[in-house]
Amino acid sequence: MSTTAHRPTRERSRWEAQRSFDELGRPLRDLTFCVVDLETTGGSAEAGSMITEIGAVKVRGGEVLGEFQTLVNPHTEIPAFIAVLTGISNSMVHDAPPIEAALPAFLDFAAGCVLVAHNAPFDVGFLQHFARRQGRPWPKFEVLDTAKLARRVITRDDAPNCKLSSLAKLFGSTTTPNHRALSDARATVDVLHGLMERLGGLGVHTLEELQTFSSRVSTAQRRKRHLAEGLPHSPGVYLFRDDRSRVLYVGTSKDLRTRVRTYFTSSETRTRIGEMVGLAESVTGIECATALEAEVRELRLIAEHKPKYNRRSRFPEKVHFLKLTREAWPRLSLVRKVLDDDADYLGPFSSKKTAEKCLAALHETFPVRQCSGRLPLAPSRSACVLAEMGRCLSPCDGSTDASTYAAIVRQLRDTLVRSPHEVVEAINRRMSALAERERFEEAGIHRDRLATFVRAAARTQRLSALTRCPEVVAARREDTGRWSVHVVRHGRLAAAGLIPPGADAHQYVRELTASAETVSDAPGPVPAATAEETEKILRWLESPGVRLVDVDGEWVCPLGGAARHLAIYDAANQSRLSLVPFDEQRLPSPVHQPVR
């Protein structure tokens, strides 16, 4: 465990620019900030993940006052997946102090400071958890999140995203983030100072102003506040339209009128949305019985109108699947559509790049043929280079018999449908071997492939389980005290409603079910709706307080399915969010985003 104190001068010029402001509140240059970063064994302290390293930098007025760094013995094995990500191995933390010693030392270092972190809920959440576990009172830190602040200041023209690596590059940080706590904390200091410099030019020079900062709203936006006046205070979907009634943007809210009014105030900080509001001439509201119905309608309307200013969900048809073909010598194929051909499918994938990562993980584990086209029962071709490398059983030249090949295909099919154990074990062994030889970059490639496969398999199994059911009827008591009811058929929302006060609940559910949309079954893991719609329905069905009224069919997931492996890969992805390139972050989020 170490702390250092020094006073470099390289940041002073950034802060000098703010000294001429007529300051109110607590001036930022007079406050001491403690910028902290953690490395952990997983993404959730509540689920048993431990801290493996704490790094922190104390700064005031642009000067570094001191640094704090310590490895932490987690008293548990560090997963190979995390070791590859951070470079922290079990041997490195063997003689390190436990969290019971490290946390008090850090809290002493940070005492009296404003706590700063990039994605602060993650780091601060871990620290608070272990403080509670030790019976230690948590200091009343004021907390700043540089990621949240950057999203209010940085545009796509500045950086492709607001991840730490991108911001460090934007602001010319002298430290490159590398998933070691002190290095990442140093980079966050440079990001904090860069953000302060930009905000100083916008008149933000006190902590109070920083905590409430948002982009200035234009006069043109304020003049259009009347567009929200005709909307109701109820859940639903709203559509901004231009002077030709073309849909510019679709959104959803629990309170249509209140939400739409925020687009004409300083609460709206997104540059693109400000541009959209400038073009808008009307707003149409569609009332919905429940928040879930509003979310689903939003998805369907975005897919129908493909509004220019909606970034997500515009092209649900642009997906890919992995298909295990049904033929004499089956193979894995990347396809765009699901056919009624009794084949097994994995997906959908939102990008070809993600599907190819998953395909590579499967080919690394199962030596099925990778050549295209059908083979006859008794093929007589020459072997390809993959066969010579031992990565294919090579049925094309008779190197394997039908029964041996069929056994491998059965294992592959079981991996896709039920348990990913074979792939997880094989790639983990490969990854551990590479990590031991310090070939971290190559191990990282395998890590990404495995994470992509586990997520895809878990997603397919969850979606398939619901879409196999002809009908699921569920209800939940909402905060208003009324019961919301949803009818789901083959994974598609077929009806939604709120039971009126004093009504016969059983009769209401029968009538709602009878009037629900007719939904036909179709082949594939997401037959009757887009994957995103079905996932929203699943999140609601799995939320606290939901009661199943009726289930037609069997709604089950395999006991040894891919979902049990998700925790470790979600944790690693949570940690990587601040470093990986924007265009690689296309994995489905495991966290439910509530309706605003």
Side-chain angles (χ1 to χ4, degrees), residues 292-314:
L292 177 61
E293 182 190 4
E295 291 181 1
V296 169
R297 280 183 176 270
E298 177 191 34
L299 289 176
R300 295 178 185 177
L301 287 167
I302 291 174
E304 177 185 352
H305 295 286
K306 303 189 182 337
K308 176 182 177 181
Y309 292 93
N310 282 96
R311 290 194 179 278
R312 301 181 61 184
S313 310
R314 288 198 298 166

PDB file of all heavy atoms in Angstrom, residues 292-314:
ATOM      1  N   LEU A 292     -45.288  -0.864 -19.998  1.00  0.00           N
ATOM      2  CA  LEU A 292     -44.772  -1.880 -20.908  1.00  0.00           C
ATOM      3  C   LEU A 292     -45.393  -1.744 -22.290  1.00  0.00           C
ATOM      4  O   LEU A 292     -44.697  -1.847 -23.313  1.00  0.00           O
ATOM      5  CB  LEU A 292     -45.036  -3.288 -20.346  1.00  0.00           C
ATOM      6  CG  LEU A 292     -44.607  -4.447 -21.252  1.00  0.00           C
ATOM      7  CD1 LEU A 292     -43.108  -4.408 -21.518  1.00  0.00           C
ATOM      8  CD2 LEU A 292     -45.018  -5.786 -20.638  1.00  0.00           C
ATOM      9  N   GLU A 293     -46.694  -1.497 -22.349  1.00  0.00           N
ATOM     10  CA  GLU A 293     -47.333  -1.295 -23.648  1.00  0.00           C
ATOM     11  C   GLU A 293     -46.706  -0.101 -24.366  1.00  0.00           C
ATOM     12  O   GLU A 293     -46.484  -0.130 -25.582  1.00  0.00           O
ATOM     13  CB  GLU A 293     -48.831  -1.068 -23.480  1.00  0.00           C
ATOM     14  CG  GLU A 293     -49.545  -0.909 -24.823  1.00  0.00           C
ATOM     15  CD  GLU A 293     -50.993  -0.453 -24.684  1.00  0.00           C
ATOM     16  OE1 GLU A 293     -51.439  -0.189 -23.549  1.00  0.00           O
ATOM     17  OE2 GLU A 293     -51.662  -0.341 -25.738  1.00  0.00           O
ATOM     18  N   ALA A 294     -46.388   0.951 -23.614  1.00  0.00           N
ATOM     19  CA  ALA A 294     -45.764   2.131 -24.220  1.00  0.00           C
ATOM     20  C   ALA A 294     -44.395   1.785 -24.788  1.00  0.00           C
ATOM     21  O   ALA A 294     -44.036   2.206 -25.895  1.00  0.00           O
ATOM     22  CB  ALA A 294     -45.643   3.235 -23.180  1.00  0.00           C
ATOM     23  N   GLU A 295     -43.608   1.020 -24.052  1.00  0.00           N
ATOM     24  CA  GLU A 295     -42.281   0.633 -24.529  1.00  0.00           C
ATOM     25  C   GLU A 295     -42.368  -0.192 -25.816  1.00  0.00           C
ATOM     26  O   GLU A 295     -41.585  -0.005 -26.752  1.00  0.00           O
ATOM     27  CB  GLU A 295     -41.546  -0.164 -23.456  1.00  0.00           C
ATOM     28  CG  GLU A 295     -41.151   0.652 -22.241  1.00  0.00           C
ATOM     29  CD  GLU A 295     -40.406  -0.183 -21.228  1.00  0.00           C
ATOM     30  OE1 GLU A 295     -40.182  -1.379 -21.490  1.00  0.00           O
ATOM     31  OE2 GLU A 295     -40.040   0.361 -20.175  1.00  0.00           O
ATOM     32  N   VAL A 296     -43.320  -1.111 -25.854  1.00  0.00           N
ATOM     33  CA  VAL A 296     -43.480  -1.961 -27.029  1.00  0.00           C
ATOM     34  C   VAL A 296     -43.970  -1.142 -28.225  1.00  0.00           C
ATOM     35  O   VAL A 296     -43.483  -1.304 -29.346  1.00  0.00           O
ATOM     36  CB  VAL A 296     -44.443  -3.123 -26.716  1.00  0.00           C
ATOM     37  CG1 VAL A 296     -44.826  -3.865 -27.993  1.00  0.00           C
ATOM     38  CG2 VAL A 296     -43.805  -4.081 -25.716  1.00  0.00           C
ATOM     39  N   ARG A 297     -44.948  -0.264 -27.993  1.00  0.00           N
ATOM     40  CA  ARG A 297     -45.432   0.586 -29.090  1.00  0.00           C
ATOM     41  C   ARG A 297     -44.307   1.470 -29.634  1.00  0.00           C
ATOM     42  O   ARG A 297     -44.219   1.708 -30.836  1.00  0.00           O
ATOM     43  CB  ARG A 297     -46.592   1.460 -28.601  1.00  0.00           C
ATOM     44  CG  ARG A 297     -47.935   0.738 -28.540  1.00  0.00           C
ATOM     45  CD  ARG A 297     -49.023   1.720 -28.123  1.00  0.00           C
ATOM     46  NE  ARG A 297     -50.341   1.103 -28.148  1.00  0.00           N
ATOM     47  CZ  ARG A 297     -51.143   1.103 -29.204  1.00  0.00           C
ATOM     48  NH1 ARG A 297     -50.738   1.675 -30.324  1.00  0.00           N
ATOM     49  NH2 ARG A 297     -52.329   0.534 -29.145  1.00  0.00           N
ATOM     50  N   GLU A 298     -43.471   1.957 -28.747  1.00  0.00           N
ATOM     51  CA  GLU A 298     -42.342   2.782 -29.183  1.00  0.00           C
ATOM     52  C   GLU A 298     -41.458   1.997 -30.148  1.00  0.00           C
ATOM     53  O   GLU A 298     -41.077   2.493 -31.220  1.00  0.00           O
ATOM     54  CB  GLU A 298     -41.530   3.235 -27.979  1.00  0.00           C
ATOM     55  CG  GLU A 298     -40.286   4.043 -28.351  1.00  0.00           C
ATOM     56  CD  GLU A 298     -39.362   4.244 -27.184  1.00  0.00           C
ATOM     57  OE1 GLU A 298     -39.268   3.338 -26.324  1.00  0.00           O
ATOM     58  OE2 GLU A 298     -38.698   5.291 -27.134  1.00  0.00           O
ATOM     59  N   LEU A 299     -41.117   0.763 -29.794  1.00  0.00           N
ATOM     60  CA  LEU A 299     -40.282  -0.066 -30.662  1.00  0.00           C
ATOM     61  C   LEU A 299     -40.931  -0.274 -32.025  1.00  0.00           C
ATOM     62  O   LEU A 299     -40.274  -0.174 -33.072  1.00  0.00           O
ATOM     63  CB  LEU A 299     -40.015  -1.419 -29.999  1.00  0.00           C
ATOM     64  CG  LEU A 299     -39.085  -1.429 -28.793  1.00  0.00           C
ATOM     65  CD1 LEU A 299     -39.012  -2.837 -28.218  1.00  0.00           C
ATOM     66  CD2 LEU A 299     -37.700  -0.935 -29.157  1.00  0.00           C
ATOM     67  N   ARG A 300     -42.216  -0.584 -32.017  1.00  0.00           N
ATOM     68  CA  ARG A 300     -42.913  -0.865 -33.280  1.00  0.00           C
ATOM     69  C   ARG A 300     -43.008   0.394 -34.146  1.00  0.00           C
ATOM     70  O   ARG A 300     -42.863   0.315 -35.370  1.00  0.00           O
ATOM     71  CB  ARG A 300     -44.304  -1.428 -32.984  1.00  0.00           C
ATOM     72  CG  ARG A 300     -44.270  -2.792 -32.288  1.00  0.00           C
ATOM     73  CD  ARG A 300     -45.671  -3.278 -31.966  1.00  0.00           C
ATOM     74  NE  ARG A 300     -45.653  -4.518 -31.187  1.00  0.00           N
ATOM     75  CZ  ARG A 300     -46.737  -5.128 -30.717  1.00  0.00           C
ATOM     76  NH1 ARG A 300     -47.947  -4.610 -30.953  1.00  0.00           N
ATOM     77  NH2 ARG A 300     -46.637  -6.250 -30.024  1.00  0.00           N
ATOM     78  N   LEU A 301     -43.248   1.540 -33.527  1.00  0.00           N
ATOM     79  CA  LEU A 301     -43.339   2.781 -34.293  1.00  0.00           C
ATOM     80  C   LEU A 301     -41.983   3.199 -34.859  1.00  0.00           C
ATOM     81  O   LEU A 301     -41.893   3.705 -35.981  1.00  0.00           O
ATOM     82  CB  LEU A 301     -43.906   3.898 -33.412  1.00  0.00           C
ATOM     83  CG  LEU A 301     -45.407   3.795 -33.101  1.00  0.00           C
ATOM     84  CD1 LEU A 301     -45.789   4.755 -31.987  1.00  0.00           C
ATOM     85  CD2 LEU A 301     -46.228   4.080 -34.357  1.00  0.00           C
ATOM     86  N   ILE A 302     -40.921   2.993 -34.093  1.00  0.00           N
ATOM     87  CA  ILE A 302     -39.584   3.308 -34.598  1.00  0.00           C
ATOM     88  C   ILE A 302     -39.250   2.422 -35.789  1.00  0.00           C
ATOM     89  O   ILE A 302     -38.713   2.876 -36.805  1.00  0.00           O
ATOM     90  CB  ILE A 302     -38.528   3.144 -33.476  1.00  0.00           C
ATOM     91  CG1 ILE A 302     -38.716   4.226 -32.414  1.00  0.00           C
ATOM     92  CG2 ILE A 302     -37.110   3.215 -34.052  1.00  0.00           C
ATOM     93  CD1 ILE A 302     -37.826   4.055 -31.199  1.00  0.00           C
ATOM     94  N   ALA A 303     -39.582   1.137 -35.681  1.00  0.00           N
ATOM     95  CA  ALA A 303     -39.317   0.220 -36.788  1.00  0.00           C
ATOM     96  C   ALA A 303     -40.144   0.578 -38.018  1.00  0.00           C
ATOM     97  O   ALA A 303     -39.690   0.422 -39.157  1.00  0.00           O
ATOM     98  CB  ALA A 303     -39.625  -1.215 -36.347  1.00  0.00           C
ATOM     99  N   GLU A 304     -41.356   1.079 -37.796  1.00  0.00           N
ATOM    100  CA  GLU A 304     -42.232   1.430 -38.916  1.00  0.00           C
ATOM    101  C   GLU A 304     -41.791   2.720 -39.600  1.00  0.00           C
ATOM    102  O   GLU A 304     -41.712   2.781 -40.836  1.00  0.00           O
ATOM    103  CB  GLU A 304     -43.670   1.581 -38.408  1.00  0.00           C
ATOM    104  CG  GLU A 304     -44.657   2.021 -39.485  1.00  0.00           C
ATOM    105  CD  GLU A 304     -46.047   2.279 -38.928  1.00  0.00           C
ATOM    106  OE1 GLU A 304     -46.295   1.982 -37.732  1.00  0.00           O
ATOM    107  OE2 GLU A 304     -46.896   2.786 -39.691  1.00  0.00           O
ATOM    108  N   HIS A 305     -41.512   3.760 -38.812  1.00  0.00           N
ATOM    109  CA  HIS A 305     -41.228   5.077 -39.385  1.00  0.00           C
ATOM    110  C   HIS A 305     -39.740   5.331 -39.599  1.00  0.00           C
ATOM    111  O   HIS A 305     -39.374   6.213 -40.372  1.00  0.00           O
ATOM    112  CB  HIS A 305     -41.804   6.171 -38.482  1.00  0.00           C
ATOM    113  CG  HIS A 305     -43.294   6.170 -38.395  1.00  0.00           C
ATOM    114  ND1 HIS A 305     -44.094   6.620 -39.417  1.00  0.00           N
ATOM    115  CD2 HIS A 305     -44.139   5.754 -37.404  1.00  0.00           C
ATOM    116  CE1 HIS A 305     -45.362   6.512 -39.060  1.00  0.00           C
ATOM    117  NE2 HIS A 305     -45.421   5.980 -37.846  1.00  0.00           N
ATOM    118  N   LYS A 306     -38.881   4.616 -38.876  1.00  0.00           N
ATOM    119  CA  LYS A 306     -37.428   4.792 -38.956  1.00  0.00           C
ATOM    120  C   LYS A 306     -37.050   6.275 -38.836  1.00  0.00           C
ATOM    121  O   LYS A 306     -36.424   6.850 -39.733  1.00  0.00           O
ATOM    122  CB  LYS A 306     -36.878   4.182 -40.239  1.00  0.00           C
ATOM    123  CG  LYS A 306     -37.215   2.695 -40.373  1.00  0.00           C
ATOM    124  CD  LYS A 306     -36.499   2.055 -41.511  1.00  0.00           C
ATOM    125  CE  LYS A 306     -36.848   0.588 -41.702  1.00  0.00           C
ATOM    126  NZ  LYS A 306     -37.370  -0.155 -40.588  1.00  0.00           N
ATOM    127  N   PRO A 307     -37.421   6.919 -37.725  1.00  0.00           N
ATOM    128  CA  PRO A 307     -37.175   8.357 -37.576  1.00  0.00           C
ATOM    129  C   PRO A 307     -35.675   8.671 -37.586  1.00  0.00           C
ATOM    130  O   PRO A 307     -34.872   7.940 -37.000  1.00  0.00           O
ATOM    131  CB  PRO A 307     -37.795   8.693 -36.212  1.00  0.00           C
ATOM    132  CG  PRO A 307     -38.686   7.539 -35.889  1.00  0.00           C
ATOM    133  CD  PRO A 307     -38.077   6.347 -36.542  1.00  0.00           C
ATOM    134  N   LYS A 308     -35.339   9.752 -38.210  1.00  0.00           N
ATOM    135  CA  LYS A 308     -33.934  10.148 -38.374  1.00  0.00           C
ATOM    136  C   LYS A 308     -33.233  10.350 -37.042  1.00  0.00           C
ATOM    137  O   LYS A 308     -32.033  10.047 -36.899  1.00  0.00           O
ATOM    138  CB  LYS A 308     -33.872  11.434 -39.193  1.00  0.00           C
ATOM    139  CG  LYS A 308     -32.485  12.006 -39.370  1.00  0.00           C
ATOM    140  CD  LYS A 308     -32.521  13.309 -40.153  1.00  0.00           C
ATOM    141  CE  LYS A 308     -31.134  13.933 -40.277  1.00  0.00           C
ATOM    142  NZ  LYS A 308     -31.168  15.213 -41.022  1.00  0.00           N
ATOM    143  N   TYR A 309     -33.943  10.860 -36.042  1.00  0.00           N
ATOM    144  CA  TYR A 309     -33.296  11.239 -34.790  1.00  0.00           C
ATOM    145  C   TYR A 309     -33.363  10.163 -33.718  1.00  0.00           C
ATOM    146  O   TYR A 309     -32.887  10.391 -32.599  1.00  0.00           O
ATOM    147  CB  TYR A 309     -33.879  12.559 -34.285  1.00  0.00           C
ATOM    148  CG  TYR A 309     -33.497  13.712 -35.179  1.00  0.00           C
ATOM    149  CD1 TYR A 309     -34.333  14.119 -36.222  1.00  0.00           C
ATOM    150  CD2 TYR A 309     -32.283  14.363 -35.025  1.00  0.00           C
ATOM    151  CE1 TYR A 309     -33.978  15.160 -37.060  1.00  0.00           C
ATOM    152  CE2 TYR A 309     -31.913  15.409 -35.869  1.00  0.00           C
ATOM    153  CZ  TYR A 309     -32.766  15.802 -36.878  1.00  0.00           C
ATOM    154  OH  TYR A 309     -32.394  16.820 -37.712  1.00  0.00           O
ATOM    155  N   ASN A 310     -33.923   9.016 -34.002  1.00  0.00           N
ATOM    156  CA  ASN A 310     -33.812   7.849 -33.119  1.00  0.00           C
ATOM    157  C   ASN A 310     -32.563   7.077 -33.521  1.00  0.00           C
ATOM    158  O   ASN A 310     -32.408   6.711 -34.697  1.00  0.00           O
ATOM    159  CB  ASN A 310     -35.034   6.944 -33.215  1.00  0.00           C
ATOM    160  CG  ASN A 310     -36.213   7.481 -32.454  1.00  0.00           C
ATOM    161  OD1 ASN A 310     -37.077   8.143 -33.025  1.00  0.00           O
ATOM    162  ND2 ASN A 310     -36.263   7.206 -31.158  1.00  0.00           N
ATOM    163  N   ARG A 311     -31.693   6.823 -32.602  1.00  0.00           N
ATOM    164  CA  ARG A 311     -30.458   6.108 -32.920  1.00  0.00           C
ATOM    165  C   ARG A 311     -30.647   4.591 -32.869  1.00  0.00           C
ATOM    166  O   ARG A 311     -30.000   3.859 -33.607  1.00  0.00           O
ATOM    167  CB  ARG A 311     -29.345   6.508 -31.947  1.00  0.00           C
ATOM    168  CG  ARG A 311     -28.843   7.936 -32.149  1.00  0.00           C
ATOM    169  CD  ARG A 311     -27.540   8.143 -31.403  1.00  0.00           C
ATOM    170  NE  ARG A 311     -27.011   9.483 -31.576  1.00  0.00           N
ATOM    171  CZ  ARG A 311     -26.308   9.888 -32.616  1.00  0.00           C
ATOM    172  NH1 ARG A 311     -26.053   9.043 -33.599  1.00  0.00           N
ATOM    173  NH2 ARG A 311     -25.852  11.118 -32.691  1.00  0.00           N
ATOM    174  N   ARG A 312     -31.496   4.133 -31.989  1.00  0.00           N
ATOM    175  CA  ARG A 312     -31.627   2.694 -31.759  1.00  0.00           C
ATOM    176  C   ARG A 312     -32.958   2.175 -32.286  1.00  0.00           C
ATOM    177  O   ARG A 312     -33.934   2.917 -32.412  1.00  0.00           O
ATOM    178  CB  ARG A 312     -31.494   2.381 -30.269  1.00  0.00           C
ATOM    179  CG  ARG A 312     -30.170   2.821 -29.667  1.00  0.00           C
ATOM    180  CD  ARG A 312     -30.086   2.474 -28.201  1.00  0.00           C
ATOM    181  NE  ARG A 312     -30.190   1.049 -27.990  1.00  0.00           N
ATOM    182  CZ  ARG A 312     -30.231   0.454 -26.786  1.00  0.00           C
ATOM    183  NH1 ARG A 312     -30.192   1.194 -25.716  1.00  0.00           N
ATOM    184  NH2 ARG A 312     -30.319  -0.843 -26.688  1.00  0.00           N
ATOM    185  N   SER A 313     -32.981   0.877 -32.566  1.00  0.00           N
ATOM    186  CA  SER A 313     -34.197   0.116 -32.875  1.00  0.00           C
ATOM    187  C   SER A 313     -34.816   0.459 -34.223  1.00  0.00           C
ATOM    188  O   SER A 313     -35.932   0.027 -34.514  1.00  0.00           O
ATOM    189  CB  SER A 313     -35.264   0.331 -31.772  1.00  0.00           C
ATOM    190  OG  SER A 313     -34.716   0.125 -30.498  1.00  0.00           O
ATOM    191  N   ARG A 314     -34.102   1.188 -35.085  1.00  0.00           N
ATOM    192  CA  ARG A 314     -34.701   1.589 -36.364  1.00  0.00           C
ATOM    193  C   ARG A 314     -34.743   0.456 -37.379  1.00  0.00           C
ATOM    194  O   ARG A 314     -35.594   0.452 -38.275  1.00  0.00           O
ATOM    195  CB  ARG A 314     -33.919   2.768 -36.958  1.00  0.00           C
ATOM    196  CG  ARG A 314     -34.139   4.069 -36.225  1.00  0.00           C
ATOM    197  CD  ARG A 314     -33.717   5.252 -37.058  1.00  0.00           C
ATOM    198  NE  ARG A 314     -32.286   5.223 -37.375  1.00  0.00           N
ATOM    199  CZ  ARG A 314     -31.709   5.980 -38.297  1.00  0.00           C
ATOM    200  NH1 ARG A 314     -32.450   6.794 -39.026  1.00  0.00           N
ATOM    201  NH2 ARG A 314     -30.413   5.911 -38.503  1.00  0.00           N
TER     202      ARG A 314
END
